[in-house]
Amino acid sequence: MAKGKDKQGNTLARILKAYSSGDLDDKLKPVEKKPGKQAHPRGTKRARDGSPVEETHAITKPKEPRGVEAGLKERQEKRIKSENTKSTPNPKPFGKGAQKGQKPNPLLEARKALPIWPHAQSIRAALKKNNVLVLTGETGSGKSTQVPQFLLSEPWCQKCIAVTQPRRMAAISLARRVAQEMSCPPPGRVPGAKVGYSVRFDNATGPHTRVKFLTEGMLLQEMVRDREMEEYSAIIVDEVHERSVNVDLILGFLKNLLSDLENGRLKKRKNPLKVVVMSATVDVGALVQFFGEGSKESEDTQQTLHSDVSSTLVGTQQNQDISTCYIEGRQYPVQTIYLPEPTQNWVESALIHIFQIHRKEPLPGDILVFLTGREKIEKLEKLVNEYAEGLEDSLPKLLVLPLFSALPQHAQQRIFMPTPHRTRKVILATNVAETSVTVPGVRYVIDCGKSKIKEYRNALGLESLLAKPISKSAADQRKGRAGREAPGKCYRLYTEDGYNGFADRTQPEILRCDLSHALLTMVAAGIGLRDVFSFPFLDPPPRGAIERAVALLHDIGAVTEEAEIANDALTMAKFPLTPALSRVLIEAATPERNCLEDVVDIVSALSTEDIFLNLANEERKKEDAEAARRGFYRRSGDHMTLLAAVQGYLEETSDRKAWCAKHFISHRAMQNVVKVRKQLLELCQRLSLVPNSSSSVDPPTANASPEEHTKRVLQCFARGFMRNIARLMPDGSYQTLVSKQTVAIHPSSVLYGRKTDYLLFTEFVFTNRAWVKGVSAPDVGALEEVMRKVVLGDGDGE
DNA sequence: GAGCACTGC
């Protein structure tokens, strides 16, 4: 190593040391540091999921035909048609008693058959009386489609009703369904359309929209723009039990808004705002307490509510402003079968159960297996196919279908295709099948009892992705998947004691994520930095987590030394990006860097799924892919490599799909990159980060050499990701400068296996070890300039 | 030598 370089490195390390010593943190006024600083990180290392464990019992290879009865019943197999929209709760036979002679309206009859239908009057009455209704309804009750229609003709409902959904697909399909039921034109900008939807990249609302389905993120953005929600008469928050960060923010904002309205602090609204909170499971008590001022402990609430299973409405004494309502679901019984003894090797156990079910149970009845991730899915897929070859001819065939979200769309669609004759489907799925995708035809569920969960470690600024035991509610959700069409069975690959040891509910995301983005949103909505500590969270995150997020925002210049909101913070909040990536964009727009367009391309690629297809399984293709992509690879690392790939795609104008196939690049991902890129460029334009096109602009860094250009781009990333710098150690490992964490370059990086003095990375995940992804190798000088400017406050960075 | 699932002016 050259002496000069080493010296420079030391300078850099010194700067960062000063930086991390807390001098700066102390200047943040609202942060009350506890005397005992978090000295050492909580144990992050865990045994890798599914690490080799001594096998306790050998698997019996199915060779002798045993199940005679299995062959007899297969004739009757008949696939029940089912739609993959949550908006059609069990198209069961309805309207048998529909009066003949009158013109039959099948849609209306279907609505009348929904469990929620008889409750329409009491729901209207509840909202006439109170402004808040907490409605719990199980799967298939029809609440998402019917409640907005029940309310539409109420006298207080002059404006629009918003219905939030956690997922875009659900928002769109619900809007289509409700438009159909209301005999309106399908959602769109046409004047007649009363039902619309609004999701990222797709706004299908018009001047006459009365019911608007939108994703939680979209409503949040609207709240930031107009905190009085003038446009709406009612806001329905659906699927609250999933407890996304966004839904928690929405609930907090709504609570603030309701109390401001009640206390006359807001003047714009004429009519009160009605809020309906809908949830699948029994968090009623918590929600009622949350909206019911929160000051009084309402011990009786829970009991009162639980005794109210059959009737509809309860006004509790403590919380007179809140109505509650319970709607029964429509679900067939599912038998639960536990393991007698716990097992470590649940992949093998799943294998045994699949074949036991297949031998014992008649068709139809597909099997849905919940596993943790792609690796286990592919392992089990191979095993099942292997053992299926030994199946006697009298038994039906097995069709194994993997299902995880990284799977190409056409492969995911296979689960909806009709099952071939005398065949049983075995779907091996991740959590996608728990909420996002409804797999038709399932009567048997096998649940491994684990799922991979992302958690953020405040002390390290590191997220971990580890397989952990699921909660009781998640286990019950999985089990419910067996009873959508007929009575079913659920095999749990754990003991009953194991189940009893699960947490009741999955920990809400807000308690296990980096809060900097949430804080930025709150700040943009007019909440002062000091007030974030008293924001009404349904589950308040620990103070330390908020402090850490404030410190992060300070890192990137969203919070000033005086603990005030910086102007840049409001700009950053307007980007659909993490605060760090927003900072990178702002940096790229400065005259010294002048590389906004290229940085937008890279940021677009970083904020979508991986554009490089993963071909780990296909050995031969892997080498081809390496060769096909080599043209994009850049010495400086992943960021410039992404830029080359995105630009290559943009330059291809004839057949981009073929271009992607040729270069082993995901077309789906690239289409998304282009959408994000367009959106970001428009935002930059609107936020005046980009000079008006009328003025004569130099092409980006026209005067810079390629090396200088790369340096500038990486300096932008260094500005957003100051803590994400690691240094090569004498033993060949890398250690982060600030938190002294040993990290390894992820195998997906173009720098994998390379040694370089410094690494700058944009992602940091702990799985079986601490990996860094999105890695570049900047010049030390480039890093130092940024650090000096930021940490030491040097005006000009020289 | 490896990536649970969602989302966003």
Side-chain angles (χ1 to χ4, degrees):
Chain A
M1 188 187 291
K3 261 187 194 166
K5 246 187 183 172
D6 198 20
K7 205 175 161 192
Q8 272 187 312
N10 284 333
T11 315
L12 179 62
R14 212 178 56 238
I15 294 172
L16 278 157
K17 197 175 165 197
Y19 177 76
S20 61
S21 67
D23 295 358
L24 294 171
D25 287 4
D26 291 343
K27 292 180 186 157
L28 294 174
K29 299 276 157 52
V31 181
E32 288 158 24
K33 274 262 185 273
K34 281 175 205 130
K37 247 172 123 184
Q38 347 96 312
H40 55 103
R42 280 167 299 175
T44 57
K45 292 193 177 132
R46 313 186 139 260
R48 185 186 178 184
D49 167 53
S51 52
V53 174
E54 210 57 46
E55 297 189 1
T56 48
H57 47 285
I59 185 159
T60 47
K61 208 162 191 166
K63 41 188 171 190
E64 291 294 311
R66 273 177 298 167
V68 187
E69 77 280 13
L72 301 173
K73 297 181 184 167
E74 73 228 7
R75 297 278 151 168
Q76 53 188 5
E77 84 178 24
K78 211 177 180 185
R79 185 55 56 222
I80 296 172
K81 247 204 208 154
S82 170
E83 291 177 50
N84 180 33
T85 61
K86 54 173 293 183
S87 55
T88 49
N90 282 353
K92 260 177 126 183
F94 55 79
K96 270 188 186 152
Q99 313 88 319
K100 279 173 189 162
Q102 293 184 4
K103 72 176 157 186
N105 181 345
L107 278 175
L108 183 62
E109 294 306 321
R111 292 178 62 197
K112 286 180 179 171
L114 289 168
I116 200 168
W117 186 261
H119 300 287
Q121 265 319 318
S122 44
I123 289 171
R124 290 194 194 100
L127 281 168
K128 195 172 283 173
K129 186 164 158 245
N130 294 324
N131 292 335
V132 181
L133 168 66
V134 175
L135 191 150
T136 46
E138 286 163 20
T139 323
S141 63
K143 58 184 163 36
S144 311
T145 51
Q146 302 312 305
V147 174
Q149 296 185 69
F150 293 162
L151 304 182
L152 210 47
S153 51
E154 288 295 281
W156 52 262
C157 192
Q158 301 294 316
K159 296 179 189 166
C160 190
I161 299 177
V163 188
T164 70
Q165 290 297 319
R167 282 165 292 279
R168 310 174 47 178
M169 274 255 305
I172 296 170
S173 59
L174 283 170
R176 290 197 178 127
R177 174 73 187 190
V178 171
Q180 234 175 19
E181 289 184 2
M182 287 171 61
S183 316
C184 300
R189 291 167 199 262
V190 288
K194 287 205 180 89
V195 184
Y197 64 85
S198 171
V199 301
R200 191 183 187 184
F201 308 129
D202 194 0
N203 179 6
T205 60
H208 299 98
T209 303
R210 296 285 320 281
V211 181
K212 179 161 149 189
F213 288 88
L214 27 56
T215 46
E216 291 157 357
M218 289 307 264
L219 186 74
L220 211 44
Q221 289 305 316
E222 293 189 7
M223 285 178 146
V224 169
R225 276 204 309 268
D226 170 24
R227 54 184 297 244
E228 298 198 28
M229 302 261 81
E230 261 198 298
E231 197 186 319
Y232 299 104
S233 293
I235 293 177
I236 301 175
V237 192
D238 200 3
E239 311 283 17
V240 168
H241 58 279
E242 291 190 23
R243 293 299 301 278
S244 64
V245 172
N246 283 345
V247 104
D248 280 19
L249 291 182
I250 286 173
L251 293 179
F253 282 132
L254 284 177
K255 186 181 155 124
N256 277 347
L257 177 54
L258 289 170
S259 82
D260 283 352
L261 288 170
E262 197 175 312
N263 297 324
R265 281 197 285 270
L266 297 174
K267 293 280 183 280
K268 273 199 277 178
R269 289 196 73 95
K270 234 171 63 198
N271 288 315
L273 179 71
K274 304 287 181 180
V275 172
V276 182
V277 176
M278 308 205 291
S279 176
T281 38
V282 278
D283 333 81
V284 198
L287 287 166
V288 169
Q289 199 173 329
F290 177 74
F291 280 105
E293 290 294 277
S295 53
K296 294 162 225 158
E297 292 291 313
S298 49
E299 291 160 25
D300 307 339
T301 310
Q302 199 90 23
Q303 282 180 355
T304 321
L305 294 167
H306 278 215
S307 64
D308 180 49
V309 170
S310 54
S311 75
T312 332
L313 199 62
V314 166
T316 66
Q317 292 214 318
Q318 290 90 345
N319 301 289
Q320 289 185 338
D321 299 329
I322 294 149
S323 305
T324 61
C325 174
Y326 174 86
I327 313 290
E328 66 281 13
R330 181 185 276 168
Q331 176 84 8
Y332 294 93
V334 178
Q335 189 192 346
T336 311
I337 300 109
Y338 292 97
L339 287 190
E341 298 292 331
T343 178
Q344 295 291 323
N345 197 344
W346 41 264
V347 171
E348 181 192 278
S349 182
L351 180 63
I352 295 168
H353 279 88
I354 290 168
F355 282 97
Q356 275 177 356
I357 293 167
H358 189 50
R359 288 182 174 282
K360 270 198 326 217
E361 306 286 355
L363 287 176
D366 295 337
I367 305 172
L368 173 61
V369 190
F370 284 101
L371 300 162
T372 52
R374 177 177 179 163
E375 186 194 339
K376 303 283 181 203
I377 287 174
E378 286 171 348
K379 184 176 169 192
L380 186 57
E381 181 184 12
K382 223 176 122 212
L383 286 171
V384 175
N385 282 329
E386 250 171 60
Y387 283 90
E389 278 179 27
L391 276 184
E392 51 274 28
D393 290 342
S394 59
L395 279 176
K397 298 248 175 307
L398 280 175
L399 176 63
V400 185
L401 300 173
L403 178 66
F404 47 91
S405 81
L407 209 61
Q409 210 56 48
H410 63 88
Q412 283 187 35
Q413 289 303 318
R414 289 173 66 200
I415 63 167
F416 301 113
M417 298 199 311
T419 316
H421 181 59
R422 279 196 71 221
T423 304
R424 191 195 301 272
K425 280 195 252 190
V426 181
I427 296 109
L428 310 179
T430 61
N431 261 0
V432 270
E434 207 176 289
T435 46
S436 312
V437 183
T438 303
V439 185
V442 172
R443 295 197 186 173
Y444 308 98
V445 162
I446 299 174
D447 170 22
C448 77
K450 291 181 181 331
S451 72
K452 284 194 184 169
I453 300 229
K454 206 174 235 179
E455 281 183 321
Y456 183 73
R457 312 203 168 242
N458 285 304
L460 299 174
L462 165 78
E463 41 191 26
S464 61
L465 184 58
L466 299 168
K468 293 191 146 190
I470 57 175
S471 63
K472 284 181 188 144
S473 67
D476 296 342
Q477 177 77 20
R478 289 178 172 188
K479 170 182 156 184
R481 293 286 159 172
R484 302 282 291 213
E485 295 173 11
K489 287 183 185 170
C490 174
Y491 295 85
R492 290 178 164 164
L493 305 183
Y494 40 92
T495 61
E496 191 161 6
D497 281 350
Y499 173 82
N500 290 329
F502 289 170
D504 284 344
R505 259 156 270 181
T506 311
Q507 204 183 26
E509 193 187 359
I510 199 141
L511 298 183
R512 48 182 173 86
C513 76
D514 164 27
L515 294 174
S516 56
H517 192 242
L519 288 199
L520 208 50
T521 307
M522 288 158 67
V523 158
I527 291 172
L529 202 53
R530 284 162 190 80
D531 297 327
V532 298
F533 290 91
S534 54
F535 183 80
F537 286 109
L538 190 48
D539 281 290
R543 194 180 174 89
I546 301 179
E547 287 171 356
R548 162 76 192 188
V550 173
L552 263 174
L553 291 178
H554 174 264
D555 276 4
I556 59 169
V559 170
T560 65
E561 300 280 316
E562 291 75 34
E564 300 292 341
I565 312 291
N567 288 334
D568 278 348
L570 300 180
T571 310
M572 289 181 210
K574 295 214 162 82
F575 285 105
L577 297 170
T578 62
L581 284 176
S582 301
R583 168 81 258 177
V584 173
L585 283 192
I586 292 173
E587 185 73 13
T590 61
E592 307 128 271
R593 306 291 180 231
N594 189 28
C595 53
L596 184 62
E597 288 184 21
D598 285 352
V599 167
V600 164
D601 290 353
I602 301 170
V603 166
S604 305
L606 285 175
S607 69
T608 54
E609 59 182 311
D610 203 346
I611 59 170
F612 293 114
L613 286 171
N614 169 28
L615 305 158
N617 270 7
E618 299 152 84
E619 280 304 321
R620 199 185 59 75
K621 274 192 181 173
K622 226 170 78 182
E623 284 170 24
D624 296 350
E626 286 286 314
R629 292 170 183 165
R630 194 149 292 143
F632 306 129
Y633 290 176
R634 294 290 177 271
R635 259 188 61 252
S636 71
D638 295 323
H639 301 105
M640 296 309 281
T641 298
L642 284 175
L643 177 62
V646 172
Q647 291 185 340
Y649 179 84
L650 291 171
E651 279 161 20
E652 170 65 41
T653 46
S654 53
D655 190 346
R656 286 180 166 174
K657 200 169 178 183
W659 183 92
C660 284
K662 187 177 147 205
H663 293 94
F664 294 87
I665 279 174
S666 158
H667 189 235
R668 179 176 73 176
M670 269 299 188
Q671 286 175 308
N672 209 27
V673 169
V674 170
K675 281 189 206 162
V676 175
R677 177 177 177 273
K678 179 162 171 272
Q679 187 182 36
L680 293 180
L681 286 173
E682 282 168 5
L683 265 169
C684 289
Q685 194 77 250
R686 208 168 329 143
L687 298 169
S688 307
L689 288 185
V690 117
N692 280 338
S693 50
S694 55
S695 62
S696 61
V697 197
D698 290 339
T701 62
N703 50 351
S705 66
E707 291 76 22
E708 171 65 16
H709 177 62
T710 300
K711 180 181 167 187
R712 290 185 188 183
V713 169
L714 294 186
Q715 280 175 323
C716 299
F717 282 93
R719 182 63 190 88
F721 294 88
M722 281 187 299
R723 291 179 189 245
N724 289 9
I725 296 171
R727 185 180 180 197
L728 185 64
M729 304 305 282
D731 66 356
S733 66
Y734 291 97
Q735 193 185 64
T736 57
L737 292 182
V738 176
S739 60
K740 305 291 178 213
Q741 170 87 21
T742 299
V743 300
I745 301 175
H746 193 271
S748 63
S749 169
V750 301
L751 292 185
Y752 177 75
R754 284 257 309 273
K755 297 295 175 198
T756 167
D757 289 347
Y758 286 93
L759 297 180
L760 171 66
F761 51 91
T762 43
E763 208 182 325
F764 186 13
V765 187
F766 187 96
T767 51
N768 56 346
R769 64 194 290 193
W771 296 112
V772 291
K773 303 165 76 173
V775 190
S776 281
D779 284 348
V780 181
L783 293 178
E784 195 176 346
E785 186 186 325
V786 174
M787 292 303 136
R788 196 183 280 282
K789 185 172 173 185
V790 171
V791 179
L792 303 179
D794 289 5
D796 288 323
E798 271 305 312

